[in-house]
Amino acid sequence: MKISRMIVPAAGLAAMLVVTGCATGGAAQSASVTLKPRAEASGEITVWSWDTAAAGLKRLAESYEDSHPDTSVKVVDVGYDNAYDKLSVGLQAGSGLPDLVTIETDRAPGYISEFPKGFTSLTPILGDEEANFDPSKWSAGSNAAGELIAAPWDSGTVGLFYRSDYFAEAGVDPASLDTWNDLVAAGEQIKDETGHTLMSIDVASGATFTMLLQQAGQGLFDEDGDIAITSPAAVDVLTLLKTMNDKGLLKNVKGWDGRVTATKNGDSAVHPEAVWWIGTLTAEMPELSGKFGVVELPSIGKDSARTSNNGGSNLAIPSQSKNPDLAASFLAYALADADNQVSLMENEGLFPSYLPALEHTYFQKEDPYFSSQKVYELFAEQTAEIPSVTYTSDNAKALDIVANAVVASVVNGADPKKTLEDAADQIATATGRGIAD
C-alpha cells in the first residue's frame, strides 16, 4: 500500500479506536435491511473514504456509472482525522451517515460489536465468495453470528524485508531462516561482521508483539472473548523479543518516523513488515535500490504461519443507507472483481484481499528495486495463509496495557511470563473479561 494515512501500522490503528457513545450501547441505531442479491442498481449513493482509498473509489465510480446507467456514486474524502469521529457520532445518533463507509480492519470488530444493528449484513451479496477472500480479513469483518458486515478490501500481508548487502557481507543465506531462532543467530553473525543491529522497532507500540502473536494464530483475546495473553505462544513471543534486545540486536525507535529514518540510515538488517512497506521504500529511499530482498517470515513455533497481517481496510453499508442495494452493487464491483482489484493495486497501491486478483500477471513481474525479485508474488502466495484472530471491542484498551508490558519486559528486563500475567489481570479489571485458561 502506498504512503498514506491508510497505512498506519495495525497496532497503532487499534490503539486509536475510540467509539463515541459506546457506554449507551448504540441505542439510536437503525433497523437493518436485507439486501437483494440481484437487485437492479439505480439512483445515487454517497461513499466516505480518505486519501488514496478515496482516489481509487472515485476512479472506479466513474467506470461503474458508465456501465450502470441511471446511477450516481459520489465519493467524499472525509479525511482520516475526521472519519471515525463522524462514523461514531452517526452510529450513535442513528442519522448522518452515507451509504458506504471505509473502516480499517482492526477497527471494524469494535464497531460491529458496539453497534450490532448499525450495519447491513453483506452475506446475501458476498456470502458465496468467502473462499475467494483473505480469511483473516473475512473473519475480522464478520459478527458473532458469522454474518459478513464489513467486506475485505486490501490486505497487509507481512514478509521479512532484508538488506541483501548486509547478509552477503556476513555470509548469511536468507533462505536458511526457517525459524525466529535461526534469525536471532543470523542477527548475531550480522552484527559481528557488519556492526548493524538486526531490527529497528518501536517497542512501545506493541506492534511487533501483536504481529508475531498473530503469526502464531492468536490475538489478544481467544474465540470466546477471554483474555489470551498468558498463553504459551504469547510468552514465547515476548521472550523472543526480550532475548533479541538482551543480545543487542534491537534498536528501539520512536513511531513511524523513527522506523523510516532508521531504515533510510541503514541501521538494521531486517524489517518484518507488510507489503505496503514496498511503497515506503521505493518512494522515500530510492537510493537504496538493489539493496533489499524479501523472504517469508521465519516460523514462530510449530505449525505457525510464515506470514501475518499489518493494516488494511474494509467497506461497510450503514443501516442508515437510503440506497443499500446500489451501495452493495458498487461494493461488489469494487471488491469482488479481479480486474478492479488489480487496478486498485496498479494505480493506488492497495494490495488485494480478493484472492483471484492475486493470480494476475501483475503480481508475477520482476521489481528492479529488489534486484529483479518477484516480490509481489511472494506476498500473493502468503495472503491466503494469514491466520484469523479474534478482535473484540476491548482490543484498543488491551493493547495499551500489553504495549506497556512489552516495554517492561523487553526494555526493562522483567520476566515475560510474570509481566503478561500482570497485564492480563489489568485487562480483566479494565474490561470485566475473564482470563483464558
Side-chain angles (χ1 to χ4, degrees):
M1 186 180 292
K2 291 183 179 177
I3 302 170
S4 74
R5 289 282 189 174
M6 202 165 178
I7 63 170
V8 178
L13 302 178
M16 293 186 288
L17 174 56
V18 178
V19 183
T20 303
C22 287
T24 64
Q29 299 167 51
S30 304
S32 184
V33 299
T34 300
L35 296 171
K36 297 184 267 305
R38 287 171 291 279
E40 182 176 350
S42 63
E44 61 183 37
I45 57 170
T46 299
V47 184
W48 281 1
S49 195
W50 57 83
D51 292 354
T52 55
L57 291 177
K58 287 178 181 178
R59 182 174 52 76
L60 290 185
E62 293 177 3
S63 61
Y64 180 87
E65 291 171 349
D66 290 341
S67 59
H68 294 77
D70 303 319
T71 65
S72 173
V73 179
K74 180 182 180 182
V75 179
V76 180
D77 187 337
V78 294
Y80 182 83
D81 293 336
N82 296 320
Y84 292 108
D85 287 342
K86 288 178 175 291
L87 178 59
S88 299
V89 170
L91 286 167
Q92 183 61 37
S95 62
L97 294 182
D99 301 281
L100 199 59
V101 295
T102 302
I103 308 177
E104 288 159 317
T105 302
D106 292 334
R107 293 185 179 232
Y111 281 107
I112 293 170
S113 173
E114 294 295 339
F115 299 95
K117 296 181 180 179
F119 300 95
T120 300
S121 171
L122 303 174
T123 297
I125 303 299
L126 293 181
D128 293 341
E129 292 270 14
E130 180 175 357
N132 287 328
F133 281 94
D134 172 348
S136 71
K137 296 290 178 179
W138 189 279
S139 174
S142 299
N143 63 16
E147 296 177 302
L148 181 67
I149 304 300
W153 181 351
D154 60 305
S155 291
T157 314
V158 175
L160 186 71
F161 293 80
Y162 66 92
R163 283 291 298 260
S164 53
D165 50 345
Y166 295 174
F167 272 64
E169 183 179 348
V172 176
D173 180 2
S176 69
L177 305 177
D178 293 328
T179 70
W180 276 90
N181 287 335
D182 293 336
L183 183 58
V184 171
E188 292 182 281
Q189 185 172 335
I190 291 169
K191 185 178 180 183
D192 288 342
E193 295 294 332
T194 72
H196 296 288
T197 57
L198 182 61
M199 297 195 305
S200 294
I201 65 172
D202 181 359
V203 176
S205 73
T208 305
F209 175 83
T210 55
M211 181 191 297
L212 299 187
L213 192 60
Q214 180 170 6
Q215 187 186 353
Q218 187 187 310
L220 303 182
F221 300 91
D222 66 14
E223 59 185 9
D224 296 320
D226 292 332
I227 303 158
I229 61 169
T230 58
S231 70
V235 174
D236 287 347
V237 169
L238 188 54
T239 300
L240 170 68
L241 294 175
K242 181 178 183 298
T243 298
M244 285 193 283
N245 193 63
D246 290 346
K247 291 177 177 290
L249 301 180
L250 292 186
K251 179 175 182 180
N252 189 12
V253 298
K254 185 176 181 180
W256 173 261
D257 290 341
R259 292 179 53 224
V260 170
T261 298
T263 306
K264 192 175 182 67
N265 291 342
D267 293 340
S268 299
V270 302
H271 307 271
E273 195 48 275
V275 58
W276 45 254
W277 187 244
I278 294 172
T280 303
L281 294 176
T282 56
E284 298 202 24
M285 306 165 216
E287 71 278 7
L288 297 181
S289 178
K291 295 184 177 181
F292 279 96
V294 187
V295 293
E296 59 190 0
L297 286 181
S299 174
I300 194 66
K302 184 180 179 181
D303 300 325
S304 84
R306 298 295 295 269
T307 189
S308 186
N309 182 79
N310 189 10
S313 294
N314 296 50
L315 287 178
I317 301 174
S319 299
Q320 302 168 27
S321 171
K322 295 180 175 61
N323 195 342
D325 288 319
L326 177 55
S329 176
F330 179 66
L331 180 151
Y333 177 82
L335 304 189
D337 181 286
D339 289 339
N340 287 334
Q341 279 289 291
V342 172
S343 80
L344 286 166
M345 180 66 197
E346 290 179 312
N347 292 280
E348 285 81 33
L350 303 175
F351 193 81
S353 290
Y354 191 58
L355 302 180
L358 298 176
E359 299 173 6
H360 192 275
T361 55
Y362 179 88
F363 299 95
Q364 299 166 16
K365 68 180 183 178
E366 298 177 346
D367 192 323
Y369 189 91
F370 294 89
S371 301
S372 298
Q373 181 183 354
K374 297 179 180 180
V375 289
Y376 286 123
E377 185 175 55
L378 181 146
F379 289 103
E381 292 171 349
Q382 290 294 322
T383 299
E385 305 301 320
I386 300 172
S388 298
V389 298
T390 299
Y391 296 93
T392 74
S393 57
D394 291 317
N395 254 74
K397 193 176 295 183
L399 183 60
D400 285 342
I401 295 171
V402 167
N404 290 334
V406 172
V407 171
S409 185
V410 175
V411 178
N412 299 328
D415 176 70
K417 186 174 186 295
K418 179 63 165 59
T419 301
L420 290 174
E421 288 173 349
D422 291 344
D425 288 338
Q426 293 176 49
I427 296 170
T429 299
T431 66
R433 293 180 182 270
I435 301 173
D437 295 331

